[in-house]
Amino acid sequence: MKILALSLDQLTHLLETNYGKSRFHAQALYREIFKNANLKFLFVPEFAASQALARDLKKNICLEPGRIKKVFQDKDLTKFITRLSDGMDIESVIVPMNRYNTLCVSSQVGCRMGCAFCETGCMGLKRNLTVSEITGQLYNARHVLKKQIKNIVFMGMGEPFDNFEPVMAAVKIMNEQKGFDIALRHMTISTAGVVPGIRKLAAMNLAGIRLAISVNAPDNQTRSKLMPVNNAWSLETLKETLADFPLPRKGTFLFEYILIKGMNDSDAHADRLAEFIHPLPVRLNLIPCNPVPGLAHESPSDEEMNRFSQKLVEKNIFVIRRWSKGRSLSAGCGQLGRQ
Ligand code: SF4
């Protein structure tokens, strides 16, 4: 029984069919494993009268979060590499916020989106992650590395909507109150602009889950150069799709814009970006591009970034200028994949 891949409903169903037990035992199991990392549930009150069952479950439950192969630490920021059962590696990053941590999880080994500024994109797609390989990153961050994780962002290796079902199953498991208990409003799925994925998420009507879009250029010509995904779904299609997305009241999209010197950072780009954003409710993250070996992109100076940001602020765009946390660990945006 691969417990990290099971929602509480699925676990309940398994216990009912295989052992004739109810949700009461499923909840206790979920709590002990996901919240407390306790595999010895023999001593848990709910199993006091069912010792044979507890022993049997202990034998049959398989907890495979993946083995942490290496941990890199720089001040409060942590990047860890997980070795999967087939020998492939994935990377996850724990980013300290004010009072808690955000875990940036991977959804694929590599990525087939081919964004020009991205190290993961250079790897191509090796394979999709399974549900337990995604939830295993949270298990390891919490219970092996002992970090308080309150936020999840799907911004690690891979395009989450290119692995839609396992990602959404992982979201459900991470959200379960009896287990990891991460609120939907504390989860962000970041996409390069895979429109069918945005539509499918919209149809699920998951109140509160946040959607981030990696925009990176305000016109199709520049964006297609940087992000081949734009050839399949243009900026116009993307905008129409977002306009139909069921945001909660006062909800916003998170747009990410990686600034690359001489490519997408002129005044004209800022003006067009403001036009593209209007009237969508957006918080815009401006991120200087990270150096990636073998890729010739350069990040603009602070002064150039300020100018770009100012232009947007003047047009009433909510701008968050993000210093690239994690550069020294190759844990910044577009840098995962290099160990
Ligand atoms: S930026 Fe994201 S979507 Fe683009 S290649 Fe990298 S991992 Fe894939």
Side-chain angles (χ1 to χ4, degrees):
M1 193 191 293
K2 280 200 169 190
I3 189 92
L4 284 171
L6 294 176
S7 68
L8 182 56
D9 289 342
Q10 289 168 325
L11 180 63
T12 305
H13 180 70
L14 272 175
L15 291 193
E16 275 168 1
T17 18
N18 296 345
Y19 300 97
K21 293 291 176 187
S22 67
R23 199 168 180 86
F24 174 75
H25 284 96
Q27 283 178 342
L29 206 54
Y30 226 71
R31 181 195 67 225
E32 290 309 312
I33 294 178
F34 288 75
K35 244 192 193 35
N36 304 333
N38 169 25
L39 285 172
K40 298 180 195 149
F41 24 84
L42 285 173
F43 308 108
V44 167
E46 288 90 339
F47 287 94
S50 321
Q51 292 288 292
L53 166 68
R55 272 193 296 274
D56 201 42
L57 284 173
K58 198 166 172 297
K59 248 194 316 193
N60 289 327
I61 284 176
C62 145
L63 181 81
E64 282 178 345
R67 180 176 64 80
I68 296 183
K69 184 180 135 188
K70 214 163 187 175
V71 180
F72 303 86
Q73 189 79 41
D74 178 26
K75 296 190 185 104
D76 294 338
L77 192 130
T78 309
K79 172 167 110 170
F80 62 98
I81 296 172
T82 307
R83 173 61 52 96
L84 305 173
S85 54
D86 60 357
M88 296 217 177
D89 291 340
I90 49 164
E91 301 186 13
S92 320
V93 183
I94 301 169
V95 186
M97 307 309 273
N98 291 338
R99 298 199 318 273
Y100 43 81
N101 295 297
T102 293
L103 174 67
C104 173
V105 294
S106 291
S107 52
Q108 296 179 309
V109 187
C111 182
R112 70 185 172 120
M113 295 296 134
C115 301
F117 47 83
C118 176
E119 179 125 7
T120 311
C122 295
M123 293 169 67
L125 177 65
K126 306 286 181 212
R127 72 170 173 86
N128 285 330
L129 293 188
T130 62
V131 180
S132 57
E133 287 168 342
I134 300 171
T135 53
Q137 296 169 66
L138 175 55
Y139 186 92
N140 276 338
R142 275 217 180 142
H143 299 306
V144 180
L145 300 178
K146 309 279 184 215
K147 300 283 186 184
Q148 297 280 346
I149 306 289
K150 193 169 170 193
N151 292 329
I152 298 288
V153 293
F154 284 84
M155 292 184 187
M157 298 165 79
E159 160 59 53
F161 289 156
D162 199 28
N163 187 22
F164 191 89
E165 274 74 25
V167 164
M168 296 320 297
V171 163
K172 189 171 162 61
I173 292 168
M174 289 167 169
N175 176 236
E176 175 52 54
Q177 248 186 325
K178 299 284 174 198
F180 288 128
D181 194 18
I182 307 260
L184 284 177
R185 67 179 187 286
H186 289 291
M187 290 195 227
T188 303
I189 300 189
S190 174
T191 176
V194 176
V195 162
I198 301 175
R199 289 192 184 129
K200 276 203 260 178
L201 181 66
M204 290 174 81
N205 225 336
L206 284 181
I209 196 160
R210 300 205 65 194
L211 182 62
I213 296 102
S214 199
V215 176
N216 305 321
D219 62 89
N220 285 319
Q221 206 188 353
T222 315
R223 193 164 190 264
S224 294
K225 258 192 232 162
L226 288 173
M227 306 180 74
V229 68
N230 195 69
N231 292 315
W233 300 288
S234 67
L235 282 165
E236 292 73 24
T237 311
L238 180 60
K239 190 167 177 176
E240 276 167 27
T241 310
L242 294 177
D244 288 340
F245 191 86
L247 280 178
R249 214 169 68 83
K250 295 195 177 164
T252 52
F253 298 108
L254 186 69
F255 276 14
E256 292 155 329
Y257 195 98
I258 296 180
L259 280 156
I260 304 171
K261 196 179 171 74
M263 174 69 90
N264 62 1
D265 65 337
S266 69
D267 288 356
H269 287 121
D271 289 341
R272 291 194 70 173
L273 180 59
E275 271 169 40
F276 174 68
I277 291 174
H278 187 77
L280 296 171
V282 163
R283 293 160 76 94
L284 176 71
N285 255 352
L286 285 184
I287 311 157
C289 84
N290 278 313
V292 174
L295 300 179
H297 300 128
E298 214 183 303
S299 87
S301 64
D302 287 356
E303 202 181 299
E304 288 160 334
M305 281 198 64
N306 278 334
R307 200 196 61 237
F308 193 90
S309 161
Q310 194 49 39
K311 274 242 145 210
L312 290 156
V313 171
E314 280 164 15
K315 291 181 187 287
N316 297 321
I317 307 292
F318 187 103
V319 177
I320 309 156
R321 206 191 120 177
R322 245 183 46 191
W323 286 103
S324 265
K325 283 186 177 172
R327 259 190 198 186
S328 59
L329 290 181
S330 295
C333 203
Q335 280 188 318
L336 296 185
R338 175 163 40 112
Q339 295 176 21

